[in-house]
Amino acid sequence: MVDIVIIGAGVSGCAIAREVSRYQADVLVLEREEDVCCGTSKANSAIVHAGYDAANGSLMAKLNVEGSRLMPALSKELDFAYENNGSLVVMVSEDDRPALNKLYENGVANGVEGLRIVERDELVKMEPNISDEAVAALYAPTGAIVCPFGLTFALAENAAHNGVKFQFDTEVTGIEKVDGGWKLATTQGDVEAKVVVNAAGVYADKLHNMVSEDAMTITPRRGDYFLLDHTAQGHVHNTIFQLPGKFGKGVLVAPTVHGNVIVGPTAIDIEDKEGVATTQAGLDEVRAKCGMAVKDVPLRQTITSFAGLRAHEARHEFFISEAAPGFVDCAGIESPGLSSAPAIGVMVSGIVKDILKLEENPGFDPKRRGILDPKGLDDAAHAELIKENPAYGTVVCRCETVTEGEIIDAIRRVPGARSVDGVKRRVRAGMGRCQGGFCSPRVMEILARELGVDQSAITKAGAGSELIVGVNKDAI
Amino acid sequence: MREYELVIIGGGPAGLAAAAAAHEAGLRDILILERDNELGGILNQCIHNGFGLHTFKEELTGPEYAGRFIQQVKELGIPYKLNTMVLDLAADKTVTAMNREDGLFQLHPKAVILAMGCRERPRGALSIPGCRPAGIYTAGTAQRLVNMEGYMPGRKVVILGSGDIGLIMARRMTLEGAKVQVVAELMPYSGGLKRNIVQCLDDYGIPLKLSHTVVDIEGKKRVEAITIAQVDERNRPIPGTEERYECDTLLLSCGLIPENELSRSAGVELNPITNGPTVNESLETSIPGVFAAGNVLHVHDLVDYVSEEAGAAGRHAAAYVACGCKTEEHKALPIKCENGVRYTVPVAIRPDAAGDTVTLRFRVGNVYQNKKVAVYAGDACIFSRKRPVLAPGEMETVILKTDLLTGHPEADGITVTLEEA
């Protein structure tokens, strides 16, 4: 029997894993997908919300503001991309002024620092591409953007470094109370744990309902997005939201930490907990709405469109507590879940620590070094790196200038990349404008070599997503 | 790192032909930088025949065609670096590149030829709705997997786009044992060569559905089905026309985009129609001493024309270096495109700087029948040729005699247009 099983290796599960690794405990993370960061955590707006949105007094508001405050230091400690770019909630009709004021007051009550309302003249100076209809905006200087993959991998790697085990391709199918803990039935056999943490995202209701009479329903709320090329960089500087009001709810337009522009999302409630297919209607809605707060959004420079699911609970609140003795929910983690993740990790690990009366882990190392990106080096250091390790001299992904050295590092990490998408999310090979057209066969080769398997076993994102189905003429 | 007078970025058909021609024109100090592990570029994966009919008067495969130029470059002793990625080109022509052996290095050539080729438009840029599973490839990626590595990317295939690579891959996948069910093309005409439609689709009974597009992709892990639908005149899907195909693969052949990231970083002016540099009759870009040729300049239909164009770029680069890198001020006649002519390469001609003839290449924006291509210097028609059929998939070439231009000193511009025959 292990001390703690965390179900789900998304950003919440990984944040919890990293925080509990501060204590002496056997921790196992079970993940149904083949890698960390495969569900809600991989497909979202990549925003660190300042915290003015969530209702004052809610857990969501508290953790959002705390998470946002923890993020800058965490990004240095764990070496992931984070940028404090600021955010604007734009009002496009004077009629909506009361709603803007209300949002401001809610933010102040939540403890968000530096909030102020900027009028059109200043707004245009801040954002030259702001809509001609923009009247005023709520400016949150603490608003930020983050690489959601980078954050999640950083947490997972640091947790693993401090002793947490990860087991992938393992879906929990049943839970049974046993003496001193829980027995989990999984697709890879039974696992027993003293404490179970339910961080299963859109599936958190399913697990919760296995142990609690008080039924919970998580609705997958789909969001469709466009991601624009680097050529669109600079179109906006802050994360720009539109104030919900007279003309409905808009979509955000934001820079990403990697110099792209993200536009979206929709909010469409669906039934399928894996329904991440985009739809024509969803994409059209983003197209129609993105111009409400920002003009001339260069959607022609789209390099990809995608959809993600938010784990929406009808009360729009985070549910973090013991659903049964020794079974801790971390459920309803929809937006601002990514922003709140650092605080969620602290809160859940606190609950678990109290249940198990855990002792501090004296060997805990809070530091993690990210995958070296040679683009960040000066020329001399860059040249020295290639001399030391020539793999850094071979460019594999041309669009994002990703070298073989970085890809090898991504595969050799713990937990490391095992698929083309795993490589892509860690080092951005295939993330650029050609979307892997040139580099995916090369990435497959490197994966096969590093993992010691045949290329035909290499997948896009885990079993069933094999990229090659055979050899030429094998069916003739 | 030793310096070179001419650096050619790209060792595909354009770069190779440019290097050989520059050498023949007397320039000896040339370096080719190639990012792949061999010379030849995309031709190495084009194992079908049909290359070289114009250049060599025989039918060669892609690797054979490339081989002729590679051999020439090697015989001439022109140095090249493989597995070498150019990271930056500056306005002063400083080239920053890297590879395993030399590490990160800079070159300061007198002239540069851009020969980076083009890339395929991916699924993401097409904003096709649906799932994002394995089994969606650009035709060129599939071509590399099949032709160079011997791997089958799928067994039951739907192809979107009737560009030449898509047509070629329809045949290739069929020959390798896959079932190609349909080729859907958004436009009411194919973007590929007529001969490829006949030889790659018709001969194998593969239907080509014009004015159709993909409206849904199904499959969580791997493609399971593709739905196509007919589109109206504004390219919007028409409800009720959907057809669903069970398959495991979607290949995309939806256009090629010249790779001009380096040109952009150098500040080379680009033509929004071609996505390639704007060049004058000498194939010189807006930066003196920086020339461009091949698919980086505009997407060609036949490699023979790439070689021809690149040869000219090589000669002009050699002449530029030979004249001490001076660009004389000459009157330039801008070229205007009318009546279905989408663009021309070059975009301007300096009659006093041109040789005896100037080659104009262009494409049309629709299928036209019984037209004539006409070129005007000012108001005077200086060229006219009947064309029974013009199509967007085929590049048009006009060779203008320079003395016809100098014979009209009053002209302040050139117009290329289509007229009724």
Short mmCIF file of all heavy atoms in Angstrom, two decimals, chain B residues 367-417:
data_model
loop_
_atom_site.label_atom_id
_atom_site.label_comp_id
_atom_site.label_asym_id
_atom_site.label_seq_id
_atom_site.Cartn_x
_atom_site.Cartn_y
_atom_site.Cartn_z
N VAL B 367 -9.33 29.17 -64.81
CA VAL B 367 -9.16 28.45 -66.07
C VAL B 367 -9.71 29.33 -67.19
O VAL B 367 -10.84 29.84 -67.08
CB VAL B 367 -9.90 27.10 -66.04
CG1 VAL B 367 -9.79 26.39 -67.38
CG2 VAL B 367 -9.34 26.22 -64.92
N TYR B 368 -8.92 29.55 -68.22
CA TYR B 368 -9.35 30.39 -69.36
C TYR B 368 -9.16 29.61 -70.64
O TYR B 368 -8.23 28.82 -70.78
CB TYR B 368 -8.50 31.67 -69.43
CG TYR B 368 -8.66 32.57 -68.24
CD1 TYR B 368 -7.73 32.54 -67.20
CD2 TYR B 368 -9.74 33.45 -68.14
CE1 TYR B 368 -7.87 33.36 -66.09
CE2 TYR B 368 -9.88 34.28 -67.03
CZ TYR B 368 -8.94 34.23 -66.02
OH TYR B 368 -9.08 35.05 -64.93
N GLN B 369 -10.08 29.87 -71.59
CA GLN B 369 -9.96 29.23 -72.90
C GLN B 369 -9.93 30.28 -73.99
O GLN B 369 -10.57 31.32 -73.87
CB GLN B 369 -11.12 28.26 -73.11
CG GLN B 369 -10.86 26.99 -72.32
CD GLN B 369 -11.98 25.99 -72.34
OE1 GLN B 369 -13.11 26.33 -72.70
NE2 GLN B 369 -11.67 24.78 -71.95
N ASN B 370 -9.20 29.94 -75.06
CA ASN B 370 -9.11 30.80 -76.23
C ASN B 370 -8.79 32.26 -75.88
O ASN B 370 -9.53 33.17 -76.21
CB ASN B 370 -10.41 30.74 -77.04
CG ASN B 370 -10.68 29.33 -77.52
OD1 ASN B 370 -9.75 28.64 -77.94
ND2 ASN B 370 -11.91 28.89 -77.41
N LYS B 371 -7.69 32.41 -75.20
CA LYS B 371 -7.24 33.76 -74.86
C LYS B 371 -5.91 34.01 -75.54
O LYS B 371 -5.29 33.09 -76.09
CB LYS B 371 -7.03 33.88 -73.33
CG LYS B 371 -8.32 33.75 -72.54
CD LYS B 371 -9.03 35.06 -72.45
CE LYS B 371 -10.28 34.94 -71.61
NZ LYS B 371 -11.04 36.16 -71.56
N LYS B 372 -5.50 35.26 -75.50
CA LYS B 372 -4.11 35.48 -75.85
C LYS B 372 -3.43 36.26 -74.73
O LYS B 372 -4.06 37.07 -74.04
CB LYS B 372 -3.98 36.17 -77.21
CG LYS B 372 -4.56 37.54 -77.30
CD LYS B 372 -4.38 38.10 -78.70
CE LYS B 372 -4.80 39.56 -78.71
NZ LYS B 372 -4.92 40.13 -80.04
N VAL B 373 -2.17 35.94 -74.55
CA VAL B 373 -1.35 36.64 -73.57
C VAL B 373 -0.75 37.84 -74.28
O VAL B 373 -0.16 37.69 -75.36
CB VAL B 373 -0.23 35.71 -73.05
CG1 VAL B 373 0.72 36.49 -72.15
CG2 VAL B 373 -0.83 34.51 -72.33
N ALA B 374 -0.96 39.02 -73.74
CA ALA B 374 -0.44 40.22 -74.39
C ALA B 374 0.42 41.01 -73.41
O ALA B 374 0.12 41.07 -72.21
CB ALA B 374 -1.58 41.10 -74.88
N VAL B 375 1.51 41.58 -73.91
CA VAL B 375 2.39 42.42 -73.10
C VAL B 375 2.48 43.79 -73.75
O VAL B 375 2.67 43.90 -74.97
CB VAL B 375 3.80 41.80 -72.97
CG1 VAL B 375 4.69 42.67 -72.09
CG2 VAL B 375 3.71 40.38 -72.42
N TYR B 376 2.29 44.82 -72.95
CA TYR B 376 2.35 46.19 -73.45
C TYR B 376 3.50 46.94 -72.80
O TYR B 376 3.74 46.79 -71.58
CB TYR B 376 1.05 46.94 -73.11
CG TYR B 376 -0.14 46.46 -73.90
CD1 TYR B 376 -0.85 45.35 -73.50
CD2 TYR B 376 -0.54 47.15 -75.04
CE1 TYR B 376 -1.94 44.90 -74.23
CE2 TYR B 376 -1.63 46.72 -75.78
CZ TYR B 376 -2.34 45.59 -75.37
OH TYR B 376 -3.41 45.16 -76.10
N ALA B 377 4.20 47.72 -73.62
CA ALA B 377 5.15 48.69 -73.07
C ALA B 377 4.45 50.03 -73.18
O ALA B 377 4.21 50.51 -74.29
CB ALA B 377 6.45 48.70 -73.87
N GLY B 378 4.03 50.59 -72.07
CA GLY B 378 3.14 51.76 -72.14
C GLY B 378 1.86 51.32 -72.84
O GLY B 378 1.22 50.36 -72.39
N ASP B 379 1.51 51.98 -73.94
CA ASP B 379 0.29 51.61 -74.67
C ASP B 379 0.57 50.69 -75.85
O ASP B 379 -0.34 50.24 -76.53
CB ASP B 379 -0.41 52.88 -75.20
CG ASP B 379 -0.84 53.78 -74.05
OD1 ASP B 379 -1.14 53.24 -72.97
OD2 ASP B 379 -0.82 55.02 -74.24
N ALA B 380 1.85 50.44 -76.11
CA ALA B 380 2.19 49.67 -77.32
C ALA B 380 2.28 48.19 -77.01
O ALA B 380 2.97 47.79 -76.07
CB ALA B 380 3.53 50.17 -77.87
N CYS B 381 1.58 47.41 -77.81
CA CYS B 381 1.64 45.96 -77.63
C CYS B 381 2.95 45.45 -78.21
O CYS B 381 3.26 45.66 -79.38
CB CYS B 381 0.46 45.30 -78.33
SG CYS B 381 0.43 43.52 -78.06
N ILE B 382 3.76 44.81 -77.37
CA ILE B 382 5.07 44.36 -77.84
C ILE B 382 5.14 42.83 -77.90
O ILE B 382 6.14 42.26 -78.35
CB ILE B 382 6.23 44.88 -76.96
CG1 ILE B 382 6.03 44.46 -75.49
CG2 ILE B 382 6.36 46.39 -77.09
CD1 ILE B 382 7.26 44.70 -74.63
N PHE B 383 4.10 42.18 -77.43
CA PHE B 383 4.11 40.71 -77.46
C PHE B 383 2.67 40.23 -77.41
O PHE B 383 1.84 40.80 -76.70
CB PHE B 383 4.87 40.14 -76.26
CG PHE B 383 4.85 38.64 -76.17
CD1 PHE B 383 5.86 37.87 -76.75
CD2 PHE B 383 3.80 37.98 -75.53
CE1 PHE B 383 5.83 36.48 -76.68
CE2 PHE B 383 3.77 36.59 -75.46
CZ PHE B 383 4.79 35.84 -76.03
N SER B 384 2.37 39.18 -78.16
CA SER B 384 1.03 38.61 -78.11
C SER B 384 1.13 37.15 -78.56
O SER B 384 1.82 36.84 -79.53
CB SER B 384 0.10 39.41 -79.03
OG SER B 384 -1.11 38.74 -79.17
N ARG B 385 0.49 36.26 -77.80
CA ARG B 385 0.54 34.85 -78.18
C ARG B 385 -0.80 34.21 -77.81
O ARG B 385 -1.31 34.40 -76.71
CB ARG B 385 1.66 34.14 -77.43
CG ARG B 385 1.79 32.66 -77.84
CD ARG B 385 2.99 32.01 -77.18
NE ARG B 385 2.81 31.98 -75.74
CZ ARG B 385 3.83 31.87 -74.87
NH1 ARG B 385 5.07 31.83 -75.32
NH2 ARG B 385 3.59 31.83 -73.59
N LYS B 386 -1.34 33.43 -78.75
CA LYS B 386 -2.61 32.73 -78.49
C LYS B 386 -2.37 31.57 -77.54
O LYS B 386 -1.36 30.87 -77.64
CB LYS B 386 -3.18 32.20 -79.81
CG LYS B 386 -3.90 33.26 -80.60
CD LYS B 386 -4.71 32.63 -81.71
CE LYS B 386 -5.28 33.72 -82.61
NZ LYS B 386 -5.56 33.25 -83.96
N ARG B 387 -3.32 31.41 -76.60
CA ARG B 387 -3.24 30.26 -75.69
C ARG B 387 -4.62 29.63 -75.65
O ARG B 387 -5.57 30.23 -75.12
CB ARG B 387 -2.85 30.71 -74.27
CG ARG B 387 -1.47 31.32 -74.16
CD ARG B 387 -0.36 30.27 -74.25
NE ARG B 387 -0.23 29.52 -73.02
CZ ARG B 387 -0.17 28.19 -72.95
NH1 ARG B 387 -0.25 27.46 -74.05
NH2 ARG B 387 -0.03 27.57 -71.80
N PRO B 388 -4.78 28.43 -76.22
CA PRO B 388 -6.10 27.79 -76.20
C PRO B 388 -6.61 27.54 -74.77
O PRO B 388 -7.79 27.68 -74.51
CB PRO B 388 -5.90 26.48 -76.96
CG PRO B 388 -4.43 26.31 -77.15
CD PRO B 388 -3.78 27.63 -76.94
N VAL B 389 -5.71 27.16 -73.87
CA VAL B 389 -6.11 26.91 -72.48
C VAL B 389 -5.05 27.48 -71.53
O VAL B 389 -3.86 27.29 -71.75
CB VAL B 389 -6.25 25.39 -72.18
CG1 VAL B 389 -6.69 25.18 -70.73
CG2 VAL B 389 -7.24 24.74 -73.12
N LEU B 390 -5.53 28.20 -70.52
CA LEU B 390 -4.64 28.62 -69.43
C LEU B 390 -5.26 28.13 -68.13
O LEU B 390 -6.47 28.23 -67.96
CB LEU B 390 -4.52 30.14 -69.37
CG LEU B 390 -3.85 30.84 -70.56
CD1 LEU B 390 -4.83 31.78 -71.21
CD2 LEU B 390 -2.62 31.58 -70.10
N ALA B 391 -4.42 27.61 -67.22
CA ALA B 391 -4.96 27.10 -65.96
C ALA B 391 -4.03 27.51 -64.81
O ALA B 391 -2.83 27.65 -65.02
CB ALA B 391 -5.09 25.59 -66.02
N PRO B 392 -4.61 27.69 -63.60
CA PRO B 392 -3.79 28.12 -62.46
C PRO B 392 -2.67 27.13 -62.12
O PRO B 392 -1.66 27.53 -61.55
CB PRO B 392 -4.80 28.19 -61.30
CG PRO B 392 -6.13 28.34 -61.96
CD PRO B 392 -6.04 27.59 -63.25
N GLY B 393 -2.87 25.86 -62.48
CA GLY B 393 -1.86 24.85 -62.15
C GLY B 393 -0.63 24.92 -63.02
O GLY B 393 0.37 24.26 -62.73
N GLU B 394 -0.69 25.65 -64.11
CA GLU B 394 0.44 25.66 -65.04
C GLU B 394 1.05 27.06 -65.10
O GLU B 394 0.34 28.04 -65.27
CB GLU B 394 -0.01 25.22 -66.44
CG GLU B 394 -1.09 24.15 -66.38
CD GLU B 394 -0.80 22.87 -67.17
OE1 GLU B 394 0.08 22.92 -68.03
OE2 GLU B 394 -1.46 21.84 -66.89
N MET B 395 2.37 27.10 -64.99
CA MET B 395 3.05 28.39 -65.04
C MET B 395 3.20 28.82 -66.49
O MET B 395 3.43 28.00 -67.37
CB MET B 395 4.43 28.25 -64.39
CG MET B 395 4.98 29.55 -63.88
SD MET B 395 6.45 29.24 -62.89
CE MET B 395 7.60 28.80 -64.17
N GLU B 396 3.02 30.09 -66.76
CA GLU B 396 3.17 30.63 -68.11
C GLU B 396 4.52 31.34 -68.22
O GLU B 396 5.00 31.94 -67.25
CB GLU B 396 2.06 31.64 -68.40
CG GLU B 396 0.66 31.04 -68.37
CD GLU B 396 0.42 30.06 -69.52
OE1 GLU B 396 0.90 30.32 -70.64
OE2 GLU B 396 -0.24 29.02 -69.27
N THR B 397 5.10 31.25 -69.40
CA THR B 397 6.39 31.91 -69.63
C THR B 397 6.31 32.76 -70.90
O THR B 397 5.78 32.31 -71.91
CB THR B 397 7.51 30.86 -69.80
OG1 THR B 397 7.53 30.04 -68.64
CG2 THR B 397 8.86 31.53 -69.95
N VAL B 398 6.82 33.96 -70.80
CA VAL B 398 6.93 34.84 -71.96
C VAL B 398 8.38 35.31 -72.04
O VAL B 398 8.93 35.76 -71.03
CB VAL B 398 5.98 36.07 -71.82
CG1 VAL B 398 6.36 37.14 -72.83
CG2 VAL B 398 4.54 35.66 -71.98
N ILE B 399 8.98 35.15 -73.21
CA ILE B 399 10.34 35.66 -73.37
C ILE B 399 10.26 36.94 -74.19
O ILE B 399 9.83 36.92 -75.34
CB ILE B 399 11.26 34.61 -74.01
CG1 ILE B 399 11.35 33.42 -73.03
CG2 ILE B 399 12.64 35.20 -74.28
CD1 ILE B 399 12.08 32.23 -73.59
N LEU B 400 10.62 38.05 -73.55
CA LEU B 400 10.53 39.37 -74.19
C LEU B 400 11.88 39.76 -74.76
O LEU B 400 12.90 39.60 -74.09
CB LEU B 400 10.15 40.43 -73.16
CG LEU B 400 8.71 40.55 -72.69
CD1 LEU B 400 8.63 41.73 -71.74
CD2 LEU B 400 7.77 40.74 -73.86
N LYS B 401 11.84 40.28 -75.97
CA LYS B 401 13.09 40.82 -76.52
C LYS B 401 13.31 42.22 -75.91
O LYS B 401 12.42 43.07 -75.96
CB LYS B 401 12.98 40.93 -78.04
CG LYS B 401 12.95 39.56 -78.72
CD LYS B 401 13.39 39.69 -80.18
CE LYS B 401 13.48 38.35 -80.85
NZ LYS B 401 12.14 37.77 -81.14
N THR B 402 14.46 42.42 -75.35
CA THR B 402 14.70 43.67 -74.64
C THR B 402 14.62 44.88 -75.57
O THR B 402 14.16 45.96 -75.18
CB THR B 402 16.08 43.63 -73.96
OG1 THR B 402 16.14 42.43 -73.20
CG2 THR B 402 16.30 44.80 -73.05
N ASP B 403 15.03 44.69 -76.86
CA ASP B 403 15.02 45.87 -77.75
C ASP B 403 13.60 46.37 -78.03
O ASP B 403 13.40 47.52 -78.41
CB ASP B 403 15.81 45.61 -79.04
CG ASP B 403 15.35 44.38 -79.78
OD1 ASP B 403 14.25 43.88 -79.45
OD2 ASP B 403 16.08 43.91 -80.67
N LEU B 404 12.61 45.50 -77.80
CA LEU B 404 11.22 45.98 -77.93
C LEU B 404 10.88 46.98 -76.83
O LEU B 404 10.06 47.87 -77.00
CB LEU B 404 10.24 44.82 -77.89
CG LEU B 404 10.28 43.86 -79.09
CD1 LEU B 404 9.37 42.67 -78.84
CD2 LEU B 404 9.86 44.60 -80.36
N LEU B 405 11.52 46.78 -75.69
CA LEU B 405 11.30 47.71 -74.57
C LEU B 405 12.09 49.00 -74.79
O LEU B 405 11.57 50.10 -74.62
CB LEU B 405 11.73 47.06 -73.25
CG LEU B 405 10.86 45.92 -72.74
CD1 LEU B 405 11.52 45.24 -71.55
CD2 LEU B 405 9.48 46.43 -72.36
N THR B 406 13.34 48.84 -75.16
CA THR B 406 14.17 50.04 -75.37
C THR B 406 13.63 50.84 -76.55
O THR B 406 13.84 52.05 -76.64
CB THR B 406 15.65 49.66 -75.60
OG1 THR B 406 15.70 48.57 -76.51
CG2 THR B 406 16.32 49.26 -74.31
N GLY B 407 12.89 50.16 -77.43
CA GLY B 407 12.28 50.86 -78.56
C GLY B 407 11.09 51.72 -78.17
O GLY B 407 10.52 52.42 -79.01
N HIS B 408 10.69 51.64 -76.92
CA HIS B 408 9.58 52.47 -76.44
C HIS B 408 10.03 53.28 -75.25
O HIS B 408 9.59 53.06 -74.12
CB HIS B 408 8.37 51.60 -76.06
CG HIS B 408 7.71 50.96 -77.24
ND1 HIS B 408 6.80 51.61 -78.04
CD2 HIS B 408 7.88 49.74 -77.79
CE1 HIS B 408 6.42 50.81 -79.02
NE2 HIS B 408 7.06 49.67 -78.90
N PRO B 409 10.92 54.23 -75.47
CA PRO B 409 11.48 55.00 -74.35
C PRO B 409 10.41 55.80 -73.61
O PRO B 409 10.60 56.17 -72.46
CB PRO B 409 12.50 55.92 -75.02
CG PRO B 409 12.11 55.97 -76.46
CD PRO B 409 11.45 54.68 -76.78
N GLU B 410 9.28 56.06 -74.28
CA GLU B 410 8.22 56.83 -73.63
C GLU B 410 7.48 56.01 -72.56
O GLU B 410 6.84 56.57 -71.67
CB GLU B 410 7.22 57.35 -74.68
CG GLU B 410 6.21 56.33 -75.22
CD GLU B 410 6.80 55.23 -76.12
OE1 GLU B 410 8.00 55.33 -76.48
OE2 GLU B 410 6.09 54.26 -76.43
N ALA B 411 7.57 54.68 -72.67
CA ALA B 411 6.80 53.83 -71.75
C ALA B 411 7.31 53.97 -70.33
O ALA B 411 8.52 54.00 -70.09
CB ALA B 411 6.89 52.37 -72.20
N ASP B 412 6.38 54.11 -69.35
CA ASP B 412 6.83 54.14 -67.96
C ASP B 412 6.36 52.91 -67.20
O ASP B 412 6.44 52.86 -65.98
CB ASP B 412 6.42 55.43 -67.26
CG ASP B 412 4.94 55.69 -67.41
OD1 ASP B 412 4.23 54.78 -67.89
OD2 ASP B 412 4.49 56.80 -67.05
N GLY B 413 5.86 51.94 -67.95
CA GLY B 413 5.45 50.71 -67.29
C GLY B 413 5.13 49.64 -68.31
O GLY B 413 5.01 49.91 -69.51
N ILE B 414 5.02 48.43 -67.81
CA ILE B 414 4.71 47.27 -68.65
C ILE B 414 3.41 46.66 -68.11
O ILE B 414 3.19 46.65 -66.90
CB ILE B 414 5.85 46.24 -68.58
CG1 ILE B 414 7.15 46.85 -69.13
CG2 ILE B 414 5.50 44.95 -69.33
CD1 ILE B 414 8.39 46.05 -68.82
N THR B 415 2.57 46.18 -69.01
CA THR B 415 1.35 45.51 -68.58
C THR B 415 1.31 44.11 -69.18
O THR B 415 1.58 43.95 -70.37
CB THR B 415 0.11 46.30 -69.03
OG1 THR B 415 0.22 47.63 -68.55
CG2 THR B 415 -1.17 45.68 -68.49
N VAL B 416 1.01 43.14 -68.34
CA VAL B 416 0.80 41.78 -68.83
C VAL B 416 -0.67 41.46 -68.62
O VAL B 416 -1.20 41.63 -67.52
CB VAL B 416 1.68 40.76 -68.07
CG1 VAL B 416 1.47 39.36 -68.62
CG2 VAL B 416 3.14 41.16 -68.16
N THR B 417 -1.34 41.02 -69.69
CA THR B 417 -2.79 40.86 -69.59
C THR B 417 -3.26 39.70 -70.46
O THR B 417 -2.51 39.20 -71.31
CB THR B 417 -3.48 42.18 -70.00
OG1 THR B 417 -4.88 42.05 -69.83
CG2 THR B 417 -3.18 42.54 -71.45
#
